[in-house]
């Protein structure tokens, strides 16, 4: 077991030939992490893209090797591709107008999720990092992928991923200290 894995998260035992059971186990255990990964990558409708990721997994489940761990690597490879596609598509669309609360006539308050993620929270800290630093942290921490799986997705060596993760954590730490010390 790697140090970043949750020992309380039990991987179900299953028949390697039972594709429906494998898909169900993969969806139940991985979908929250995939949604969080996509949301942190800035995908606007992370729920819909998560569903799309698992639809793509479903069509490939017959050729999958490695059980749930193999499914995990494939799911995050697909999720990474969908996030890249999302940002490429967004670059080709017109810029959106920012929300002005002064002009908003709605009476419904913001959701708890919006309030928790607003301001100087984890997402703003992640957004302060370079793309590569943010990507390696999202894949290693949010997606809970191994160094080897992360290296494969990012098309890098395992050593490069370790070094990139170390530098990303240093950058995150220094930015968090600067943000904490700066006057509001």
């Amino acid at each position: 077991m790697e140090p970043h894995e949750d020992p309380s998260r039990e991987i179900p035992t299953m028949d390697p030939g039972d594709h429906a059971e494998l898909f169900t186990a993969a969806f139940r255990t991985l979908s929250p992490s995939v949604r969080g990964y996509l949301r942190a990558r800035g995908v606007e409708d992370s729920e819909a893209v998560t569903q799309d990721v698992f639809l793509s997994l479903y069509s490939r489940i017959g050729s999958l090797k490695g059980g749930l761990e193999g499914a995990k690597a494939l799911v995050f490879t697909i999720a990474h591709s969908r996030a890249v596609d999302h940002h490429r598509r967004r670059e080709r669309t017109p810029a959106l107008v920012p929300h002005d609360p002064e002009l908003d006539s709605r009476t419904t308050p913001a959701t708890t999720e919006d309030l928790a993620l607003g301001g100087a929270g984890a997402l703003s800290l992640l957004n302060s990092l370079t793309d590569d630093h943010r990507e390696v942290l999202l894949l290693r921490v949010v997606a809970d992928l191994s160094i080897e799986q992360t290296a494969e997705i990012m098309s890098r060596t395992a050593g490069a991923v370790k070094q990139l993760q170390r530098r990303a954590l240093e950058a995150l730490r220094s930015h968090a200290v600067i943000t904490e010390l700066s006057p509001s």
Side-chain angles (χ1 to χ4, degrees):
M1 180 182 306
E2 293 189 25
H4 65 279
E5 290 181 351
D6 181 5
S8 66
R9 186 163 77 179
E10 189 175 310
I11 297 176
T13 58
M14 62 188 79
D15 176 18
D18 189 355
H19 301 308
E21 191 175 337
L22 176 60
F23 179 80
T24 301
F27 184 79
R28 285 188 179 153
T29 57
L30 301 175
S31 63
S33 297
V34 169
R35 183 175 176 270
Y37 169 78
L38 291 168
R39 183 179 173 111
R41 287 289 316 269
V43 175
E44 289 151 3
D45 192 357
S46 58
E47 185 68 35
V49 177
T50 299
Q51 298 301 321
D52 184 44
V53 166
F54 281 95
L55 283 174
S56 187
L57 171 68
Y58 185 76
S59 67
R60 300 179 192 178
I61 200 114
S63 63
L64 188 62
K65 302 284 187 247
L68 193 55
E69 276 302 308
K72 182 179 185 181
L74 179 58
V75 161
F76 280 99
T77 300
I78 296 168
H80 174 77
S81 297
R82 294 299 189 270
V84 168
D85 291 345
H86 169 79
H87 289 293
R88 286 181 181 157
R89 192 171 26 258
R90 195 165 72 179
E91 286 176 359
R92 293 187 300 259
T93 59
L96 300 174
V97 177
H99 174 72
D100 185 2
E102 301 274 332
L103 301 175
D104 191 356
S105 61
R106 295 178 293 183
T107 57
T108 307
T111 64
T112 307
E113 184 179 35
D114 290 337
L115 294 173
L117 293 174
L123 285 179
S124 64
L125 280 174
L126 280 174
N127 288 334
S128 70
L129 300 174
T130 65
D131 290 341
D132 286 341
H133 286 168
R134 182 175 38 253
E135 183 68 15
V136 76
L137 289 180
L138 290 174
L139 290 171
R140 291 284 292 137
V141 177
V142 176
D144 194 29
L145 295 179
S146 69
I147 289 175
E148 293 76 21
Q149 291 168 328
T150 303
E152 184 178 330
I153 290 171
M154 294 184 73
S155 301
R156 294 177 182 252
T157 65
V161 168
K162 288 179 185 178
Q163 189 67 263
L164 189 61
Q165 180 179 346
R166 182 185 65 76
R167 289 179 179 153
L169 289 172
E170 286 174 359
L172 188 64
R173 187 177 303 116
S174 68
H175 186 73
V177 168
I178 291 169
T179 304
E180 189 175 291
L181 295 176
S182 64
S184 301

